[in-house]
Amino acid sequence: MKKVLIVTTVSGFLPQFEKNNVKLLREAGCEIHYASNFKNPIYAFQEADLKMQGIRLHQIDIAKSPFKIRTNLRAVRQLLHIIEENAIDIVHCHNPMGGAAGRAAAWLSGRKPYVIYTAHGFHFYKGAPMRNWMLFYPAERLLARMTDLIVTINREDFERAQKFRLKAGGSVFQIHSVGVDRKRFSPKQEKGENKRKELRIPQKAFHIITAAELNDNKNQKVIVGALAALTQQDIYYTVCGKGQGECRLRELIREKGLENRIRLIGFRTDMEEILQTADCFAFPSYREGFGVAAVEALLCGVPLIVSDNRGTREYAVQGKNALICRADSTEEFAQAINTLYKEKALRERMAHCCRDSAMKFTTEEVEKTMKEVYGKALAT
């Protein structure tokens, strides 16, 4: 029996995004270990649920910031102990610091486990700030030498990773996101009216939804600014998610006098129902490696209003399933919202295209590639 250690920086990441990979590993007869900072869950989950699945949990004191050097060095030592103590055969790591600590520990271990790193969006990309290139690009080139297989979730990162020097026999794969359940996320209009009542959204109002962590990069503030610039009083905005930027976002909403039309409702596990209430889905991030939440909206037949970045370019097509704006342009987002608000026929045409445009990002499609990835690892 192969023993696999999954490493993430944020503990809720595995139940939120890696459930299908866990399923594949269990089907292959693997013993699964999960190391993360369980004191820092961004996504709600129950540790008991993971334990019931037979996953062995390991607390590591890892931090998201690369500047918390002492903390992250302690995480490397903790991971090294986990690898040695549990005779780990394969390390599959995620997130920048999870990827760095996991690969460093595997490299230092006498066991020399097979190492997979899933890059959910390199922090260096076309148009990224110079500091990102100076900090993350050299680090990733060095860490690639400790890696057997890199998995990327967009084309730009795939092409970049192919230029890295990996361990002997190393390879790079691309998946289309982490896979979205097309049965769970599908148009179900019968749920929309009751959910609108629950969310306190008037039945005839134009409803915008965003699902993302509340932070500066996710850029929810540009939608707040766009609504403040529009005169219509029947446009409502619901933000699903939590994060360190919540207080600043609430303060901005108060400053703009929009408390009655903007709802911050926290992290939700019923997005497939909430999306039934949406007239459009806003995804205004400055940077996205991909953006699963937007694909979930597409599968529910909800048109997008997105910022132009390498992640949204994977699925957003101007005028077909999305309106695309510059991330820093309140005016462009206001214009896009106004267009979908006024042009119901356009909104309906786009909604008709949405689901078909997202089918290649479903669980079934991603599973084909991940079976090949794990097949290589398990064959060693």
Side-chain angles (χ1 to χ4, degrees):
M1 176 188 292
K2 294 282 189 177
K3 298 182 178 182
V4 180
L5 173 64
I6 299 173
V7 183
T8 70
T9 309
V10 178
S11 56
F13 194 88
L14 183 142
Q16 179 73 6
F17 297 113
E18 294 298 308
K19 288 186 290 188
N20 195 54
N21 284 347
V22 168
K23 178 179 78 74
L24 293 177
L25 290 170
R26 292 178 68 185
E27 289 173 352
C30 297
E31 179 180 294
I32 304 170
H33 295 248
Y34 180 34
S36 189
N37 188 346
F38 293 95
K39 302 170 187 175
N40 182 33
I42 296 297
Y43 308 101
F45 77 104
Q46 296 295 324
E47 291 185 29
D49 292 341
L50 299 180
K51 291 177 181 177
M52 285 183 64
Q53 297 174 46
I55 300 172
R56 296 182 59 182
L57 306 184
H58 305 275
Q59 165 66 26
I60 56 173
D61 301 322
I62 194 168
K64 291 180 70 173
S65 171
F67 300 109
K68 294 189 176 180
I69 297 171
R70 292 181 62 183
T71 299
N72 289 321
L73 285 176
R74 182 163 62 248
V76 171
R77 291 194 295 271
Q78 291 168 330
L79 286 168
L80 181 57
H81 175 76
I82 293 166
I83 292 168
E84 299 286 356
E85 185 76 11
N86 296 280
I88 298 297
D89 300 295
I90 299 168
V91 174
H92 187 175
C93 42
H94 303 261
N95 318 126
M97 287 314 304
R103 286 183 283 181
W107 182 259
L108 292 170
S109 168
R111 292 191 54 77
K112 302 302 179 194
Y114 191 94
V115 178
I116 304 168
Y117 173 52
T118 297
H120 295 272
F122 289 138
H123 283 275
F124 47 91
Y125 51 91
K126 294 175 183 176
M130 182 58 65
R131 64 179 179 274
N132 287 32
W133 282 93
M134 293 176 66
L135 176 62
F136 293 104
Y137 181 67
E140 191 58 51
R141 284 181 63 91
L142 174 63
L143 290 165
R145 294 174 179 247
M146 307 175 189
T147 312
D148 292 283
L149 196 151
I150 294 177
V151 180
T152 69
I153 61 172
N154 62 63
R155 188 71 190 178
E156 182 182 323
D157 286 356
F158 175 72
E159 293 173 355
R160 185 82 59 192
Q162 284 186 308
K163 299 175 182 178
F164 294 156
R165 181 179 175 183
L166 280 69
K167 289 165 67 175
S171 52
V172 180
F173 283 75
Q174 181 186 356
I175 57 173
H176 293 295
S177 87
V178 294
V180 181
D181 186 342
R182 64 186 176 90
K183 294 179 181 178
R184 178 186 172 194
F185 292 94
S186 62
K188 300 180 181 70
Q189 287 301 126
E190 69 278 6
K191 290 185 178 181
E193 290 187 8
N194 290 336
K195 207 66 180 180
R196 278 201 171 211
K197 290 178 183 177
E198 178 187 323
L199 297 174
R200 297 182 294 114
I201 305 298
Q203 293 297 333
K204 294 185 179 181
F206 185 86
H207 189 204
I208 307 166
I209 290 175
T210 291
E213 184 178 349
L214 306 185
N215 60 39
D216 290 341
N217 175 59
K218 298 301 183 180
N219 198 30
Q220 292 94 344
K221 67 181 184 227
V222 78
I223 306 299
V224 176
L227 292 187
L230 294 169
T231 59
Q232 296 94 332
Q233 296 299 303
D234 58 344
I235 301 177
Y236 285 70
Y237 182 34
T238 298
V239 183
C240 307
K242 64 178 185 176
Q244 295 180 343
E246 181 173 347
C247 291
R248 292 193 301 275
L249 192 60
R250 287 191 183 278
E251 183 178 350
L252 178 63
I253 293 167
R254 284 194 298 270
E255 287 177 3
K256 301 294 185 181
L258 294 170
E259 302 100 312
N260 293 332
R261 293 195 286 124
I262 298 181
R263 318 268 195 256
L264 305 187
I265 62 173
F267 177 77
R268 302 291 295 225
T269 58
D270 57 346
M271 285 306 304
E272 71 275 21
E273 297 179 13
I274 290 174
L275 286 167
Q276 309 305 319
T277 74
D279 293 291
C280 72
F281 184 89
F283 209 48
S285 307
Y286 286 100
R287 174 183 57 80
E288 282 293 340
F290 184 78
V292 172
V295 173
E296 292 173 350
L298 289 175
L299 286 171
C300 289
V302 179
L304 307 179
I305 297 177
V306 302
S307 56
D308 183 22
N309 59 58
R310 66 191 159 145
T312 60
R313 290 181 204 126
E314 295 290 308
Y315 46 78
V317 181
Q318 175 69 18
K320 180 179 179 181
N321 63 7
L323 297 181
I324 303 172
C325 311
R326 288 176 296 152
D328 59 354
S329 177
T330 301
E331 181 180 351
E332 288 186 15
F333 275 100
Q335 183 177 350
I337 293 168
N338 193 44
T339 296
L340 289 185
Y341 172 86
K342 289 184 173 180
E343 299 184 27
K344 184 178 180 181
L346 172 63
R347 197 164 73 234
E348 290 176 347
R349 286 199 305 273
M350 291 172 67
H352 184 72
C353 295
C354 286
R355 186 166 171 83
D356 286 344
S357 71
M359 291 306 289
K360 69 178 180 179
F361 306 113
T362 61
T363 300
E364 292 86 348
E365 292 301 312
V366 173
E367 188 174 291
K368 295 175 185 176
T369 303
M370 288 309 301
K371 281 184 176 179
E372 188 175 353
V373 167
Y374 285 138
K376 284 179 69 71
L378 293 169
T380 58

PDB file of all heavy atoms in Angstrom, residues 297-318:
ATOM      1  N   ALA A 297     -20.598  28.901 -11.657  1.00  0.00           N
ATOM      2  CA  ALA A 297     -21.656  29.787 -12.132  1.00  0.00           C
ATOM      3  C   ALA A 297     -22.021  29.473 -13.579  1.00  0.00           C
ATOM      4  O   ALA A 297     -23.202  29.399 -13.933  1.00  0.00           O
ATOM      5  CB  ALA A 297     -21.211  31.242 -11.997  1.00  0.00           C
ATOM      6  N   LEU A 298     -21.014  29.273 -14.430  1.00  0.00           N
ATOM      7  CA  LEU A 298     -21.282  28.943 -15.832  1.00  0.00           C
ATOM      8  C   LEU A 298     -22.107  27.670 -15.961  1.00  0.00           C
ATOM      9  O   LEU A 298     -23.048  27.599 -16.762  1.00  0.00           O
ATOM     10  CB  LEU A 298     -19.967  28.790 -16.592  1.00  0.00           C
ATOM     11  CG  LEU A 298     -19.167  30.063 -16.869  1.00  0.00           C
ATOM     12  CD1 LEU A 298     -17.837  29.711 -17.519  1.00  0.00           C
ATOM     13  CD2 LEU A 298     -19.952  31.032 -17.759  1.00  0.00           C
ATOM     14  N   LEU A 299     -21.766  26.655 -15.181  1.00  0.00           N
ATOM     15  CA  LEU A 299     -22.499  25.391 -15.242  1.00  0.00           C
ATOM     16  C   LEU A 299     -23.950  25.559 -14.790  1.00  0.00           C
ATOM     17  O   LEU A 299     -24.819  24.764 -15.169  1.00  0.00           O
ATOM     18  CB  LEU A 299     -21.805  24.328 -14.400  1.00  0.00           C
ATOM     19  CG  LEU A 299     -20.510  23.761 -15.002  1.00  0.00           C
ATOM     20  CD1 LEU A 299     -19.789  22.882 -13.989  1.00  0.00           C
ATOM     21  CD2 LEU A 299     -20.798  22.966 -16.282  1.00  0.00           C
ATOM     22  N   CYS A 300     -24.207  26.592 -13.991  1.00  0.00           N
ATOM     23  CA  CYS A 300     -25.578  26.909 -13.571  1.00  0.00           C
ATOM     24  C   CYS A 300     -26.271  27.838 -14.563  1.00  0.00           C
ATOM     25  O   CYS A 300     -27.416  28.274 -14.318  1.00  0.00           O
ATOM     26  CB  CYS A 300     -25.578  27.537 -12.182  1.00  0.00           C
ATOM     27  SG  CYS A 300     -25.171  26.374 -10.858  1.00  0.00           S
ATOM     28  N   GLY A 301     -25.607  28.154 -15.668  1.00  0.00           N
ATOM     29  CA  GLY A 301     -26.200  29.009 -16.680  1.00  0.00           C
ATOM     30  C   GLY A 301     -26.189  30.479 -16.332  1.00  0.00           C
ATOM     31  O   GLY A 301     -27.048  31.239 -16.806  1.00  0.00           O
ATOM     32  N   VAL A 302     -25.212  30.909 -15.528  1.00  0.00           N
ATOM     33  CA  VAL A 302     -25.144  32.301 -15.089  1.00  0.00           C
ATOM     34  C   VAL A 302     -24.039  33.032 -15.843  1.00  0.00           C
ATOM     35  O   VAL A 302     -22.868  32.638 -15.755  1.00  0.00           O
ATOM     36  CB  VAL A 302     -24.884  32.383 -13.568  1.00  0.00           C
ATOM     37  CG1 VAL A 302     -24.798  33.841 -13.121  1.00  0.00           C
ATOM     38  CG2 VAL A 302     -25.963  31.642 -12.798  1.00  0.00           C
ATOM     39  N   PRO A 303     -24.348  34.103 -16.580  1.00  0.00           N
ATOM     40  CA  PRO A 303     -23.309  34.870 -17.281  1.00  0.00           C
ATOM     41  C   PRO A 303     -22.329  35.522 -16.318  1.00  0.00           C
ATOM     42  O   PRO A 303     -22.670  35.825 -15.167  1.00  0.00           O
ATOM     43  CB  PRO A 303     -24.109  35.935 -18.042  1.00  0.00           C
ATOM     44  CG  PRO A 303     -25.507  35.424 -18.087  1.00  0.00           C
ATOM     45  CD  PRO A 303     -25.694  34.617 -16.839  1.00  0.00           C
ATOM     46  N   LEU A 304     -21.124  35.771 -16.817  1.00  0.00           N
ATOM     47  CA  LEU A 304     -20.068  36.327 -15.983  1.00  0.00           C
ATOM     48  C   LEU A 304     -19.781  37.781 -16.324  1.00  0.00           C
ATOM     49  O   LEU A 304     -19.916  38.201 -17.475  1.00  0.00           O
ATOM     50  CB  LEU A 304     -18.769  35.536 -16.186  1.00  0.00           C
ATOM     51  CG  LEU A 304     -18.794  34.028 -16.016  1.00  0.00           C
ATOM     52  CD1 LEU A 304     -17.404  33.450 -16.284  1.00  0.00           C
ATOM     53  CD2 LEU A 304     -19.275  33.635 -14.629  1.00  0.00           C
ATOM     54  N   ILE A 305     -19.343  38.516 -15.303  1.00  0.00           N
ATOM     55  CA  ILE A 305     -18.646  39.792 -15.490  1.00  0.00           C
ATOM     56  C   ILE A 305     -17.310  39.622 -14.792  1.00  0.00           C
ATOM     57  O   ILE A 305     -17.268  39.451 -13.568  1.00  0.00           O
ATOM     58  CB  ILE A 305     -19.430  40.975 -14.907  1.00  0.00           C
ATOM     59  CG1 ILE A 305     -20.770  41.143 -15.621  1.00  0.00           C
ATOM     60  CG2 ILE A 305     -18.619  42.264 -15.010  1.00  0.00           C
ATOM     61  CD1 ILE A 305     -21.645  42.248 -15.042  1.00  0.00           C
ATOM     62  N   VAL A 306     -16.231  39.623 -15.554  1.00  0.00           N
ATOM     63  CA  VAL A 306     -14.934  39.249 -14.982  1.00  0.00           C
ATOM     64  C   VAL A 306     -13.865  40.271 -15.338  1.00  0.00           C
ATOM     65  O   VAL A 306     -14.003  41.050 -16.290  1.00  0.00           O
ATOM     66  CB  VAL A 306     -14.477  37.858 -15.486  1.00  0.00           C
ATOM     67  CG1 VAL A 306     -15.501  36.794 -15.160  1.00  0.00           C
ATOM     68  CG2 VAL A 306     -14.195  37.879 -16.993  1.00  0.00           C
ATOM     69  N   SER A 307     -12.785  40.239 -14.567  1.00  0.00           N
ATOM     70  CA  SER A 307     -11.587  40.985 -14.946  1.00  0.00           C
ATOM     71  C   SER A 307     -10.761  40.129 -15.896  1.00  0.00           C
ATOM     72  O   SER A 307     -10.874  38.904 -15.919  1.00  0.00           O
ATOM     73  CB  SER A 307     -10.771  41.342 -13.704  1.00  0.00           C
ATOM     74  OG  SER A 307     -10.449  40.178 -12.980  1.00  0.00           O
ATOM     75  N   ASP A 308      -9.940  40.778 -16.668  1.00  0.00           N
ATOM     76  CA  ASP A 308      -9.106  40.093 -17.658  1.00  0.00           C
ATOM     77  C   ASP A 308      -7.823  39.628 -16.986  1.00  0.00           C
ATOM     78  O   ASP A 308      -6.958  40.429 -16.646  1.00  0.00           O
ATOM     79  CB  ASP A 308      -8.796  41.047 -18.815  1.00  0.00           C
ATOM     80  CG  ASP A 308      -7.994  40.378 -19.916  1.00  0.00           C
ATOM     81  OD1 ASP A 308      -8.031  39.136 -19.996  1.00  0.00           O
ATOM     82  OD2 ASP A 308      -7.328  41.097 -20.683  1.00  0.00           O
ATOM     83  N   ASN A 309      -7.700  38.320 -16.752  1.00  0.00           N
ATOM     84  CA  ASN A 309      -6.466  37.767 -16.220  1.00  0.00           C
ATOM     85  C   ASN A 309      -6.276  36.359 -16.775  1.00  0.00           C
ATOM     86  O   ASN A 309      -7.172  35.818 -17.432  1.00  0.00           O
ATOM     87  CB  ASN A 309      -6.469  37.779 -14.681  1.00  0.00           C
ATOM     88  CG  ASN A 309      -7.615  36.996 -14.079  1.00  0.00           C
ATOM     89  OD1 ASN A 309      -7.761  35.807 -14.335  1.00  0.00           O
ATOM     90  ND2 ASN A 309      -8.445  37.661 -13.264  1.00  0.00           N
ATOM     91  N   ARG A 310      -5.128  35.751 -16.507  1.00  0.00           N
ATOM     92  CA  ARG A 310      -4.815  34.454 -17.151  1.00  0.00           C
ATOM     93  C   ARG A 310      -5.786  33.361 -16.744  1.00  0.00           C
ATOM     94  O   ARG A 310      -6.031  32.424 -17.500  1.00  0.00           O
ATOM     95  CB  ARG A 310      -3.399  34.024 -16.799  1.00  0.00           C
ATOM     96  CG  ARG A 310      -3.264  33.724 -15.309  1.00  0.00           C
ATOM     97  CD  ARG A 310      -1.857  33.546 -14.873  1.00  0.00           C
ATOM     98  NE  ARG A 310      -1.837  33.773 -13.441  1.00  0.00           N
ATOM     99  CZ  ARG A 310      -1.075  33.143 -12.587  1.00  0.00           C
ATOM    100  NH1 ARG A 310      -0.205  32.271 -13.029  1.00  0.00           N
ATOM    101  NH2 ARG A 310      -1.123  33.403 -11.324  1.00  0.00           N
ATOM    102  N   GLY A 311      -6.375  33.456 -15.532  1.00  0.00           N
ATOM    103  CA  GLY A 311      -7.336  32.448 -15.109  1.00  0.00           C
ATOM    104  C   GLY A 311      -8.651  32.565 -15.853  1.00  0.00           C
ATOM    105  O   GLY A 311      -9.150  31.585 -16.407  1.00  0.00           O
ATOM    106  N   THR A 312      -9.214  33.776 -15.898  1.00  0.00           N
ATOM    107  CA  THR A 312     -10.503  33.945 -16.565  1.00  0.00           C
ATOM    108  C   THR A 312     -10.395  33.745 -18.067  1.00  0.00           C
ATOM    109  O   THR A 312     -11.395  33.385 -18.716  1.00  0.00           O
ATOM    110  CB  THR A 312     -11.099  35.331 -16.263  1.00  0.00           C
ATOM    111  OG1 THR A 312     -10.195  36.349 -16.720  1.00  0.00           O
ATOM    112  CG2 THR A 312     -11.338  35.519 -14.770  1.00  0.00           C
ATOM    113  N   ARG A 313      -9.202  33.929 -18.625  1.00  0.00           N
ATOM    114  CA  ARG A 313      -9.038  33.688 -20.068  1.00  0.00           C
ATOM    115  C   ARG A 313      -9.238  32.223 -20.434  1.00  0.00           C
ATOM    116  O   ARG A 313      -9.437  31.904 -21.614  1.00  0.00           O
ATOM    117  CB  ARG A 313      -7.655  34.140 -20.528  1.00  0.00           C
ATOM    118  CG  ARG A 313      -7.474  35.656 -20.530  1.00  0.00           C
ATOM    119  CD  ARG A 313      -6.103  36.090 -21.003  1.00  0.00           C
ATOM    120  NE  ARG A 313      -5.784  37.404 -20.460  1.00  0.00           N
ATOM    121  CZ  ARG A 313      -4.695  37.695 -19.775  1.00  0.00           C
ATOM    122  NH1 ARG A 313      -3.776  36.756 -19.552  1.00  0.00           N
ATOM    123  NH2 ARG A 313      -4.501  38.905 -19.303  1.00  0.00           N
ATOM    124  N   GLU A 314      -9.169  31.337 -19.453  1.00  0.00           N
ATOM    125  CA  GLU A 314      -9.379  29.912 -19.722  1.00  0.00           C
ATOM    126  C   GLU A 314     -10.829  29.610 -20.102  1.00  0.00           C
ATOM    127  O   GLU A 314     -11.093  28.634 -20.786  1.00  0.00           O
ATOM    128  CB  GLU A 314      -8.989  29.076 -18.494  1.00  0.00           C
ATOM    129  CG  GLU A 314      -7.522  29.139 -18.132  1.00  0.00           C
ATOM    130  CD  GLU A 314      -6.640  28.424 -19.146  1.00  0.00           C
ATOM    131  OE1 GLU A 314      -6.923  27.255 -19.454  1.00  0.00           O
ATOM    132  OE2 GLU A 314      -5.673  29.047 -19.629  1.00  0.00           O
ATOM    133  N   TYR A 315     -11.782  30.435 -19.668  1.00  0.00           N
ATOM    134  CA  TYR A 315     -13.194  30.098 -19.899  1.00  0.00           C
ATOM    135  C   TYR A 315     -14.069  31.270 -20.312  1.00  0.00           C
ATOM    136  O   TYR A 315     -15.142  31.068 -20.883  1.00  0.00           O
ATOM    137  CB  TYR A 315     -13.791  29.459 -18.636  1.00  0.00           C
ATOM    138  CG  TYR A 315     -13.454  30.190 -17.355  1.00  0.00           C
ATOM    139  CD1 TYR A 315     -14.114  31.355 -16.981  1.00  0.00           C
ATOM    140  CD2 TYR A 315     -12.443  29.724 -16.518  1.00  0.00           C
ATOM    141  CE1 TYR A 315     -13.783  32.023 -15.814  1.00  0.00           C
ATOM    142  CE2 TYR A 315     -12.111  30.379 -15.345  1.00  0.00           C
ATOM    143  CZ  TYR A 315     -12.788  31.531 -15.002  1.00  0.00           C
ATOM    144  OH  TYR A 315     -12.449  32.193 -13.847  1.00  0.00           O
ATOM    145  N   ALA A 316     -13.668  32.510 -20.034  1.00  0.00           N
ATOM    146  CA  ALA A 316     -14.513  33.665 -20.335  1.00  0.00           C
ATOM    147  C   ALA A 316     -14.319  34.115 -21.783  1.00  0.00           C
ATOM    148  O   ALA A 316     -13.196  34.407 -22.203  1.00  0.00           O
ATOM    149  CB  ALA A 316     -14.195  34.812 -19.377  1.00  0.00           C
ATOM    150  N   VAL A 317     -15.420  34.192 -22.527  1.00  0.00           N
ATOM    151  CA  VAL A 317     -15.384  34.638 -23.917  1.00  0.00           C
ATOM    152  C   VAL A 317     -16.284  35.860 -24.042  1.00  0.00           C
ATOM    153  O   VAL A 317     -17.500  35.780 -23.771  1.00  0.00           O
ATOM    154  CB  VAL A 317     -15.859  33.525 -24.875  1.00  0.00           C
ATOM    155  CG1 VAL A 317     -15.793  34.015 -26.324  1.00  0.00           C
ATOM    156  CG2 VAL A 317     -15.024  32.260 -24.697  1.00  0.00           C
ATOM    157  N   GLN A 318     -15.692  36.976 -24.431  1.00  0.00           N
ATOM    158  CA  GLN A 318     -16.406  38.247 -24.497  1.00  0.00           C
ATOM    159  C   GLN A 318     -17.667  38.133 -25.356  1.00  0.00           C
ATOM    160  O   GLN A 318     -17.630  37.698 -26.506  1.00  0.00           O
ATOM    161  CB  GLN A 318     -15.488  39.332 -25.072  1.00  0.00           C
ATOM    162  CG  GLN A 318     -16.143  40.677 -25.304  1.00  0.00           C
ATOM    163  CD  GLN A 318     -16.512  41.397 -24.008  1.00  0.00           C
ATOM    164  OE1 GLN A 318     -16.010  41.071 -22.941  1.00  0.00           O
ATOM    165  NE2 GLN A 318     -17.390  42.379 -24.100  1.00  0.00           N
TER     166      GLN A 318
END
